[in-house]
Amino acid sequence: MKVSLVLITFMCLIISCNKNIETNNSSFNKTIDSLRRELTISNDELKSLKANNDSKIELRYNNENFDAFFWSFMTDSTFQLERIKFPLKYITWEDELGGEIDTIKLIKPEWKYNSFYLNTASERTQIYDNFELNLRTTNERLLHWYGVETGGDSKYYFTGKNGKWYLTKWEQLGD
C-alpha cells in the first residue's frame, strides 16, 4: 500500500512537471514568435526609414573583398574603367598650389589609367575603411597617398554599392 501511494504521488508529480514544461515551452515559443514579428522589417519600411533620415540604421552590404578588388583595379585598365562612377568628382587646386580649390566632374574619356604602384621609399599609403580616416566596418574605403618628402597628397574614395566597390571621388591637393 505504501509503495502504491508513493508510486501514485510520484506519477502525479511527473505529470504536473510535464504540464509546467509544456506551458513554459509554449510561452517561450510565443515570446520568440512575437520578437520575430517585431524584428521583421519589410523592404518598404526599410526604404521609408532610410528616406526619413530620422533613424540611424546603417545598411550593410556583403561587398567583395576589398584587397582582391583593389588588385584588379590596379592591374586591369578595363576593370578600372568599369569600377569608376562617372562623372567622377575630382577636387584639386584651381590655378596654383594654395589657391582656390576647384571641383571638376571627370568623364570617362578624361580618365587616365592609374596603376597605383608606389616606387620610392619616401611614399606611404594607407587604406582606410571610411572617409573619416578611422578603422571600422563601413561601405567606404579611402586610399590616402602622400609623399613624405615630395609633398604629394592624393585621396581616392571608394564606396561599396550592391556588393561591389567603386571609385566615387578623387582629391588631389598636394604639391
Side-chain angles (χ1 to χ4, degrees):
M1 180 81 169
K2 284 184 179 180
V3 173
S4 297
L5 188 58
V6 169
L7 190 57
I8 291 173
T9 305
F10 184 71
M11 292 297 282
C12 289
L13 185 62
I14 289 176
I15 291 171
S16 172
C17 287
N18 193 25
K19 285 184 179 180
N20 282 341
I21 290 172
E22 288 174 8
T23 303
N24 286 341
N25 274 345
S26 175
S27 175
F28 178 75
N29 288 337
K30 287 178 184 175
T31 302
I32 293 295
D33 289 341
S34 169
L35 287 172
R36 278 190 188 127
R37 278 191 296 278
E38 288 178 27
L39 292 174
T40 301
I41 299 174
S42 71
N43 284 340
D44 292 335
E45 290 172 316
L46 189 57
K47 287 177 186 173
S48 173
L49 286 171
K50 186 179 174 194
N52 289 337
N53 280 338
D54 294 336
S55 177
K56 298 276 183 185
I57 291 180
E58 180 180 335
L59 297 177
R60 296 183 189 260
Y61 295 96
N62 188 14
N63 293 322
E64 63 194 322
N65 178 282
F66 185 80
D67 292 334
F69 153 77
F70 193 66
W71 177 257
S72 296
F73 193 81
M74 289 187 332
T75 59
D76 183 343
S77 61
T78 304
F79 181 83
Q80 191 173 97
L81 277 176
E82 291 170 358
R83 293 302 190 89
I84 299 174
K85 290 289 186 184
F86 289 105
L88 180 66
K89 185 176 183 179
Y90 175 55
I91 300 169
T92 190
W93 301 114
E94 189 172 309
D95 292 318
E96 60 184 44
L97 180 65
E100 294 292 319
I101 294 176
D102 195 13
T103 300
I104 302 165
K105 299 284 186 177
L106 292 178
I107 58 174
K108 203 173 210 176
E110 295 172 324
W111 179 257
K112 293 180 184 168
Y113 169 68
N114 186 342
S115 67
F116 292 89
Y117 290 117
L118 305 174
N119 299 320
T120 69
S122 66
E123 299 168 340
R124 300 289 184 267
T125 300
Q126 172 65 50
I127 298 177
Y128 295 96
D129 62 3
N130 59 77
F131 301 154
E132 286 82 34
L133 310 180
N134 296 318
L135 295 175
R136 59 188 166 84
T137 303
T138 69
N139 286 326
E140 301 169 339
R141 296 290 183 272
L142 172 63
L143 184 142
H144 185 196
W145 175 90
Y146 58 95
V148 175
E149 296 175 13
T150 63
D153 186 4
S154 292
K155 293 178 183 173
Y156 299 88
Y157 295 79
F158 295 90
T159 305
K161 293 184 184 210
N162 299 323
K164 295 181 179 180
W165 291 104
Y166 295 91
L167 177 64
T168 55
K169 182 172 127 182
W170 175 26
E171 183 178 296
Q172 191 167 8
L173 295 174
D175 294 355

